[in-house]
Every structure is written in structure tokens, then in C-alpha cells.
């Protein structure tokens, strides 16, 4: 057997002969379109010498009888033959390096006579001439048949935020080769110089495999998932295909210059897709005005409205600057607050679904309606106004731009309010006073029926009724500046409404309230208990009748002074304790006597028994 070192040297010798130069090009034939670019990458491996290798390109035309035409070289500026010399000097034909041992031939605009077999040759830097020093590939130049047209161009007129946009682009290609077409809609924003290079955005595309893909920037992915952006391919006339893009709700950021781009693709023999032709069609400029600049909300009539009680109130909310009414949903609310300010409350609303809801029981009790009279006109009507309806009114409009059916939690694009309208009522002067009377005779005892009277005096020229409330508090208010009704410990126990309806709120005792005369109202407590003791007060509110026959609360009210109810014990309750004490004492004395007698008898009996035994 040969020594190991001889075997090792032989192996190294064989490996030296196995490492040889190899030049590779993509597999062919390659089909490219006249007028567009050609890029041929050439790679060399297994070489000796410097890491930066030189490349030379040759063309063998079919009509030149196999004659070699020098195209371009990385080491000799005078290398190109006459057909390519001018194009090389102009930079239209050039070599671009990807690395020291990889470069690509670039022909910026292919011509029909550029068709042929291209050879990539690498001059030797090896110590031995081993391997493959060149490689070639067939390039076929096919006619440019990619066409792109549009149905309309944007007029350039400003549109309102939330408006729907639809753009149509038609593309076709006629080729003997199997090619695919992709279509992309995009926009170039009108940003300043600081946004240069970042102002082109792809909105949505149908790629070469017929997949719809939204753009990666500008939030188009989310808008596509939300259904706000869509792209559809339709069959057009002849061999044309129509591509229709819809944007349901334009935003101010959508302003810019729109374009449609069609790309022709072919699959090379190595399985990779290559872009071989491209057309871009300008679709015009679009300016989207923000709703904050266009939306206007106003109330009619404006200023002050003065009415008599019982008269109808009609207010109209006018909305303009929304754009197309069939593209955006609206939420319209009528709000009110007191004549002197205070908390703003909702009177009524009509939602995006057209359903009217009332947020104020006072307005609904008086009878009213809210409706959409026309696009941009929403009316509020109260059929019979009362003093409680007086105050400041305004309408609030929330716009959901581009959304006809927003979800309950969807935020509005913008909310705008009208100016306040002051609604005042000319009411009759009303004066009212109240006093409470608690008869002290006969003596007020527990278990008896307690009667209190509330005497009310009303001065007014109109027909009136009084609503009386009875309140109880176990103890008198600690602070004199706090009224009885403001005291949180005071309890409303009964009410007699202006229409004679009785409401009892106390569950502790049996109560009744009634009207005993035109000015006197009675509270009775049956089988009074200790819990019924305390301070009592009556409150009176005046209701007037309007010309339509309805009753309304004037807001005039009076509070009586307080009376204190103390219940004495009954006679039976007073005799119970002495009786119990007496009976208990008699029983104790009786038991004591019986015990003493029994003890003495037992001692005497014991002495007699002892004598007998003796």
C-alpha cells in the first residue's frame, strides 16, 4: 500500500484539475419586447486571479450569417462595432456590475435587429486554460402590442371628502407567446419638495396571477379589508379587459395625480417571471376638500323665538357641503339646555338608519316629531310647548364620510353644531303659597289615625291645578340654609298629581292622600307607629291649562313650613308595665310563702319521726 502522503498529494492534484472556469447565462430562449429594456446577467466562477473579472459581449445575428458583432466590454472602450458604438457612448447599451465576478448587459431600448444569440466571454486570468470561458443565450425580440386606454379623465374639479371615486382602465396585448398582464392604479401626491421621491403610492393592483393586492403604504391595506377600496376585472369589447377601481370614501390625503399602469409579463425557461413591457396612462388630477372646510350646519329660524304656552314649535336643521348624499351617513341631533345655561341634553335624534329616538321625556310627553324633509333638511316639531321646553336649542350633525351603515362604535369623520336658538315662552304670572296644619286634639297616640292638611293658595288669571307632595324627615335639618327638599335624608312619601292621580312611596305605614276642598289637601296615616314620627312638609306645584286643553307645569312652586309629629303611648301601653310588675311581685311573694311553709312542715315531720323511733 502506498504511503498516506502520496495518496494525499494525488488527491490534491486531481482537485486542482477539477476546479475550472465556468461562465453561465440564463437559459433561453428569452423573449423580450421591442422598445423596452433587456438585462442579461453573466456570472463567472472557478477562476484564478483577481476577484474582479472582465466581461465582453458579442451578438450573432440570424441575418448576418453567424458573423460576430462586438457589443460592449468592461476593459476596452473601443471594443464595440459600429452598430453599437453610438449606443454605447450614449449609455443606452452598457455593462453594470453586480459584483466582481457578476455583471449584466443592459440594452435600454431593444430594437428588432437586436435579436440573435448573445455571448458572454471572460478573458482568462488562469494559469491553465481549463473550463468554459463563454456562454451564450438566444434572445427573441417580439413586437410591442401592449395597449392601455381609459374611459374618462378626471376633470380636476374639487370633490368633497367622502365622495365615491370610480376609475376604469382598459388593457390588451396580442402576442404569440404566453404572457400575462398586471394592472395597477396609483396616485402621485401633490406634496412639496420635501416629499420628493416619496409621493408615488400604489393604491391597488391585479397582479400577473390575477390576485388583488392593495398598496403597502397610505393605509390602503386596511381600507381594502374594510371594503372601502375594490378592483374588478371585466370583459370588454374585443380583446380588451376592463379594470374598474372603486374608492367608496375619498379622504383629503387621496388628492393627487392618478394613473393606471399595465405591465406585460413572461415566464422565462428558468421559471422566473420577467417584466417585458410597461405602459402608464395618466387619468388626471383630483383634489379632495376636507369636510371641515365644506360642511355647514345652521338652524332655522335663527336668533330668538317667542311663543305662547301650548303653541307649536318648529325648528329646521340645514346641512350643506356633505357632497353626494348617497355616499355618507348622517347622525342629526337636536340638543337643548336651560335659558341660563347648564347641562346640554339631547331632545331627539335621527340616526344613519333613519330611526328617530327621543332622549328627553319632557319633550316627548308634550308630543313631537323629528323627520328628514329633504336632503340636508331635518325638522324638529313640538306640537304644544310648555315652560319646560324653553331654553337654548341647536342641532349637531355627525358625518360618516363614505359610510352608509356605520357600526355603533364607528367614529364620525366630523361633527359640527349650529348656533344656538333661544326659545322663550310668554307665561301668565303665577303666585303660590303653602302651609301645613297638624291638629293636636285629640291627643296623638300610637296606633291612631293621624291627619295633616296642606293649605295651598294660588293667584293666576288662567285655569290652574295643583300637584302636592308630602315629605318626611326623621330629624329636623341641621343647617337652616338647607331647604327641606334639598336635604338628602328627606323622604318623599306621597304625591297627589294635578289630575288626581295618587302615588304612595312609603311601604312602612298605610297612607292616603286626597283633596278635601279647592285649596286643602289631606294626608292620613293609619295605625301610626313610632317610625312615623318626625318632621313633615308639603310642597305645591302649579299647573296651567294651555289653549289646546293640555296641562303644563309652570315651574311655580311653594314649600310649607315643617311640623313635628310626636306620638304618645296608648293607655293600654301605660298600664301594661305596672300590671306586669304587680303580677311578677305577687308570684314571687306567693312562691316565697309556699317555700317557707313547706320547709317548716318538713322539719316538724322529721322531728316526729325521730321520737317514734326512740
Amino acid at each position: 500500500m502506498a504511503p498516506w502522503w502520496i495518496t494525499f498529494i494525488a488527491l490534491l492534484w486531481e482537485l486542482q484539475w477539477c476546479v475550472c472556469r465556468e461562465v453561465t447565462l440564463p437559459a433561453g430562449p428569452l423573449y423580450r419586447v421591442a422598445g423596452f429594456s433587456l438585462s442579461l446577467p453573466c456570472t463567472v466562477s472557478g477562476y484564478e486571479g483577481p476577484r474582479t473579472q472582465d466581461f465582453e459581449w458579442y451578438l450573432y445575428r440570424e441575418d448576418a450569417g453567424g458573423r460576430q458583432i462586438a457589443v460592449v466590454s468592461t476593459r476596452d472602450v473601443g471594443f464595440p462595432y459600429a452598430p453599437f458604438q453610438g449606443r454605447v457612448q450614449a449609455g443606452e447599451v452598457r455593462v453594470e456590475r453586480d459584483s466582481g465576478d457578476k455583471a449584466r448587459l443592459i440594452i435600454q431600448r431593444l430594437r428588432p435587429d437586436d435579436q440573435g444569440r448573445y455571448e458572454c466571454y471572460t478573458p482568462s486570468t488562469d494559469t491553465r486554460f481549463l473550463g468554459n470561458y463563454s456562454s451564450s443565450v438566444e434572445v427573441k425580440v417580439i413586437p410591442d402590442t401592449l395597449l392601455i386606454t381609459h374611459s374618462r379623465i378626471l376633470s380636476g374639479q374639487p370633490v368633497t371628502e367622502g365622495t365615491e371615486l370610480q376609475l376604469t382602465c382598459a388593457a390588451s396585448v396580442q402576442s404569440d407567446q404566453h404572457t400575462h398582464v398586471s394592472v395597477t392604479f396609483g396616485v402621485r401626491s401633490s406634496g412639496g419638495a420635501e416629499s420628493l421621491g416619496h409621493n408615488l403610492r400604489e393604491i391597488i393592483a391585479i397582479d400577473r396571477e390575477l390576485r388583488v393586492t392593495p398598496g403597502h403604504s397610505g393605509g390602503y391595506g386596511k381600507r381594502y379589508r374594510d371594503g372601502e377600496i375594490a378592483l374588478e376585472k371585466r370583459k370588454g369589447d374585443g380583446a380588451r379587459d376592463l379594470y374598474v377601481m372603486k374608492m367608496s370614501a375619498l379622504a383629503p390625503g387621496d388628492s393627487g395625480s392618478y394613473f393606471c399602469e399595465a405591465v406585460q409579463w413572461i415566464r422565462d425557461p428558468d421559471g422566473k417571471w420577467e417584466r417585458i413591457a410597461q405602459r402608464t396612462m395618466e387619468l388626471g388630477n383630483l383634489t379632495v376638500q376636507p369636510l371641515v372646510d365644506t360642511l355647514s350646519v345652521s338652524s332655522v329660524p335663527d336668533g330668538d323665538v317667542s311663543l305662547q304656552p301650548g303653541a307649536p314649535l318648529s325648528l329646521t336643521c340645514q346641512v350643506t357641503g356633505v357632497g353626494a348624499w348617497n355616499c355618507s351617513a348622517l347622525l342629526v341631533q337636536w340638543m337643548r339646555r336651560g335659558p341660563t345655561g347648564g347641562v346640554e341634553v339631547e331632545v331627539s335624534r335621527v340616526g344613519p338608519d333613519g330611526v328617530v329616538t327621543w332622549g328627553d321625556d319632557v319633550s316627548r310627553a308634550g308630543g313631537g316629531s323629528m323627520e328628514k324633509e329633504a336632503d340636508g333638511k331635518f325638522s324638529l316639531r313640538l306640537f304644544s310647548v310648555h315652560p319646560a321646553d324653553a331654553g337654548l336649542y341647536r342641532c349637531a350633525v355627525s358625518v360618516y364620510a363614505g359610510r352608509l351603515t356605520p357600526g355603533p362604535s364607528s367614529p364620525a369623520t366630523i361633527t359640527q353644531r349650529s348656533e344656538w336658538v333661544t326659545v322663550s315662552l310668554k307665561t301668565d304670572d303665577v303666585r303660590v303659597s303653602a302651609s301645613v296644619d297638624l291638629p293636636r286634639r285629640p291627643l296623638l297616640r300610637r296606633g291612631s289615625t293621624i291627619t295633616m292638611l296642606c293649605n295651598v293658595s294660588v293667584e293666576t288669571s288662567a285655569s290652574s291645578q295643583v300637584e302636592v307632595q308630602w315629605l318626611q324627615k326623621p330629624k329636623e335639618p341641621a343647617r337652616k340654609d338647607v331647604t327641606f327638599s334639598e336635604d338628602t335624608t328627606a323622604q318623599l312619601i306621597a304625591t297627589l298629581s294635578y289630575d288626581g292621580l295618587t302615588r304612595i312611596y312609603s311601604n312602612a305605614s298605610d297612607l292616603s292622600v286626597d283633596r278635601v276642598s279647592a285649596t286643602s289637601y289631606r294626608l292620613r296615616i293609619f295605625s301610626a307607629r313610632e317610625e312615623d314620627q318626625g318632621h313633615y312638609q308639603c310642597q305645591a306645584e302649579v299647573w296651567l291649562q294651555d289653549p289646546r286643553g293640555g296641562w303644563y307645569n309652570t315651574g311655580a312652586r311653594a314649600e310649607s313650613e315643617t311640623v313635628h309629629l310626636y306620638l304618645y303611648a296608648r293607655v293600654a301601653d301605660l298600664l301594661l308595665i305596672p300590671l306586669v310588675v304587680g303580677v311578677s311581685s305577687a308570684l314571687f311573694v306567693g312562691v316565697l310563702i309556699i317555700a317557707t311553709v313547706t320547709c317548716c312542715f318538713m322539719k316538724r315531720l322529721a322531728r316526729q319521726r325521730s321520737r317514734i323511733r326512740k
Side-chain angles (χ1 to χ4, degrees), residues 148-150 152-154 165 167-170 183-189 199-205 220 231 243 245 247 254-263 275 278-286:
I148 183 172
T149 58
H150 55 78
R152 72 180 185 93
I153 293 181
L154 295 170
L165 174 66
L167 295 175
T168 301
C169 185
V183 173
T184 302
F185 285 88
V187 60
R188 301 180 186 90
S189 61
N199 60 351
L200 189 148
R201 304 190 304 273
E202 292 185 357
I203 301 174
I204 196 169
Y220 295 119
L231 180 57
Y243 299 85
M245 182 193 71
M247 301 178 69
D254 294 324
S255 300
S257 176
Y258 282 73
F259 64 89
C260 172
E261 179 185 81
V263 178
R275 180 192 298 244
Q278 177 179 322
R279 287 277 189 281
T280 301
M281 176 68 66
E282 298 296 330
L283 302 179
N285 295 321
L286 180 69

Side-chain angles (χ1 to χ4, degrees), residues 368-402:
S369 68
M370 183 178 180
E371 59 184 15
K372 178 181 178 182
E373 297 181 351
D375 288 338
K377 293 185 67 177
F378 300 85
S379 64
L380 170 68
R381 290 186 176 90
L382 301 181
F383 304 143
S384 179
V385 293
H386 298 153
D389 298 318
L392 303 175
Y393 286 76
R394 68 177 177 181
C395 65
V397 178
S398 300
V399 181
Y400 299 84

Side-chain angles (χ1 to χ4, degrees), residues 575-589:
L575 295 177
L576 180 60
I577 295 176
L579 180 61
V580 171
V581 173
V583 172
S584 299
S585 300
L587 288 174
F588 176 75
V589 173

Side-chain angles (χ1 to χ4, degrees), residues 347-607:
V347 178
S348 63
R349 67 164 60 190
V350 56
D353 54 0
V355 176
V356 177
T357 56
W358 293 85
D360 188 321
D361 289 337
V362 176
S363 297
R364 183 168 54 181
S369 68
M370 183 178 180
E371 59 184 15
K372 178 181 178 182
E373 297 181 351
D375 288 338
K377 293 185 67 177
F378 300 85
S379 64
L380 170 68
R381 290 186 176 90
L382 301 181
F383 304 143
S384 179
V385 293
H386 298 153
D389 298 318
L392 303 175
Y393 286 76
R394 68 177 177 181
C395 65
V397 178
S398 300
V399 181
Y400 299 84
R403 290 170 288 171
L404 292 176
T405 56
S409 59
S410 298
T413 306
I414 186 175
T415 298
Q416 195 170 109
R417 297 168 177 82
S418 68
E419 296 294 331
W420 290 105
V421 178
T422 302
V423 178
S424 58
L425 268 68
K426 302 174 182 178
T427 58
D428 296 328
D429 290 335
V430 178
R431 295 185 179 88
V432 59
S433 62
S435 62
V436 65
D437 181 25
L438 176 61
R440 300 293 179 176
R441 293 290 183 269
L443 195 64
L444 304 178
R445 299 182 185 277
R446 299 171 191 170
S448 60
T449 299
I450 309 301
T451 300
M452 299 183 196
L453 296 177
C454 183
N455 301 311
V456 181
S457 174
V458 178
E459 296 180 13
T460 181
S461 59
S463 177
S464 65
Q465 293 288 352
V466 177
E467 180 170 297
V468 176
Q469 296 178 334
W470 290 93
L471 293 91
Q472 179 205 12
K473 185 179 183 301
K475 296 180 180 180
E476 189 176 2
R479 293 171 50 191
K480 299 301 183 183
D481 58 337
V482 176
T483 63
F484 202 82
S485 58
E486 292 175 346
D487 194 338
T488 56
T489 62
Q491 178 185 6
L492 177 64
I493 59 174
T495 299
L496 179 62
S497 65
Y498 70 94
D499 54 359
L501 181 62
T502 299
R503 296 184 181 90
I504 305 298
Y505 302 98
S506 174
N507 295 325
S509 302
D510 291 333
L511 306 176
S512 72
V513 290
D514 58 356
R515 180 177 180 180
V516 296
S517 68
T519 59
S520 184
Y521 301 84
R522 179 173 59 186
L523 168 67
R524 286 187 291 182
I525 305 174
F526 303 99
S527 301
R529 302 185 302 173
E530 184 178 356
E531 292 80 1
D532 296 321
Q533 296 183 133
H535 296 268
Y536 285 79
Q537 182 190 64
C538 72
Q539 299 178 357
E541 294 182 345
V542 180
W543 290 65
L544 296 183
Q545 192 173 29
D546 61 40
R548 294 173 175 263
W551 291 90
Y552 62 91
N553 190 337
T554 63
R557 57 182 295 146
E559 297 180 355
S560 71
E561 72 282 1
T562 62
V563 294
H564 182 248
L565 174 62
Y566 177 77
L567 300 176
Y568 292 92
R570 293 175 294 183
V571 176
D573 296 336
L574 295 175
L575 295 177
L576 180 60
I577 295 176
L579 180 61
V580 171
V581 173
V583 172
S584 299
S585 300
L587 288 174
F588 176 75
V589 173
V591 170
L592 182 61
I593 293 173
I594 293 172
T596 303
V597 171
T598 302
C599 181
C600 293
F601 175 77
M602 293 301 292
K603 287 181 178 180
R604 184 177 179 181
L605 182 61
R607 285 196 299 268

